[in-house]
Amino acid sequence: MINFHQNHFELFGLPPRFHLDLAQLEQAYRGIQSQVHPDRFVHASDAERRASMQSETQVNEAYRTLKNPLARARYLLALQCVDVGNESNTAMPAGFLLEQMRWRESVEEAANQPEALAALARRLAGEMQDHYAELERRLDSDGDFALAAESVRKLMFLERLRVDIGDALERSDA
């Protein structure tokens, strides 16, 4: 079984960094999954089957966390004892909040125009890519965890906006 005291990176034998080789993560996940999958423990004792299910749950949770860039960033910050504070710290730079208002207005204006919504989605994807590059630099190069936490909060706003644009696109296609 797996060691429950390992962090997610240790579990998969990966360095604790924001930038990950996703193919390496996938390969490590498949290897561990093949060792702990409950199907391998069908004829084992109840305790071994329970341990297998617990291990599989931990492996799946760790994989989902590391595969998702925003979840991975939050996890890295948690390892550094940095609370993103998204529930208690909603303070954002005024410029960023103003930009969010502009984005929201643009989505409302494009509500029934699939082409305009698709253009907004592409523009947002580019902006998010820039924010993720900044987050990677702050976490992996600079070690500036306070600014990385702010970047995570910004990306959480942008992710909600991405979902809203996707929802508006679905409604406009209906």
Side-chain angles (χ1 to χ4, degrees):
M1 290 300 132
I2 63 174
N3 178 352
F4 285 100
H5 300 290
Q6 292 177 312
N7 71 44
H8 296 347
F9 294 95
E10 292 168 341
L11 175 65
F12 294 116
L14 299 170
R17 299 177 47 84
F18 181 75
H19 179 80
L20 282 185
D21 179 340
L22 294 178
Q24 190 178 4
L25 171 63
E26 180 75 23
Q27 182 179 8
Y29 169 71
R30 298 268 179 238
I32 294 170
Q33 189 69 357
S34 70
Q35 295 171 17
V36 300
H37 197 277
D39 288 351
R40 291 190 57 159
F41 295 87
V42 171
H43 301 293
S45 70
D46 285 345
E48 289 172 317
R49 283 196 304 273
R50 264 192 312 280
S52 167
M53 286 190 272
Q54 287 175 330
S55 294
E56 181 184 40
T57 299
Q58 182 178 4
V59 168
N60 288 338
E61 177 189 334
Y63 176 71
R64 279 191 305 274
T65 299
L66 295 185
K67 190 171 180 181
N68 178 297
L70 196 51
R72 181 170 61 246
R74 291 179 74 172
Y75 185 74
L76 275 166
L77 289 169
L79 289 176
Q80 297 298 321
C81 300
V82 175
D83 181 13
V84 172
N86 57 306
E87 291 85 15
S88 60
N89 184 356
T90 56
M92 296 299 258
F96 180 78
L97 292 175
L98 184 60
E99 184 65 23
Q100 290 306 297
M101 288 173 41
R102 288 186 193 127
W103 273 106
R104 296 283 172 198
E105 289 170 2
S106 297
V107 173
E108 287 177 25
E109 290 169 5
N112 291 316
Q113 303 169 35
E115 301 84 21
L117 287 167
L120 284 172
R122 286 189 300 275
R123 197 173 107 218
L124 179 61
E127 187 165 321
M128 289 180 75
Q129 188 174 10
D130 292 344
H131 279 279
Y132 274 115
E134 182 178 291
L135 176 61
E136 180 178 333
R137 181 181 47 77
R138 288 177 173 173
L139 285 170
D140 291 350
S141 300
D142 301 346
D144 191 336
F145 303 122
L147 284 177
E150 180 180 300
S151 291
V152 166
R153 286 192 301 275
K154 286 180 180 179
L155 280 159
M156 291 169 71
F157 271 90
L158 296 174
E159 181 61 30
R160 281 192 292 274
L161 180 61
R162 187 190 66 76
V163 169
D164 291 347
I165 292 172
D167 290 347
L169 261 170
E170 282 183 24
R171 285 190 304 274
S172 72
D173 288 338

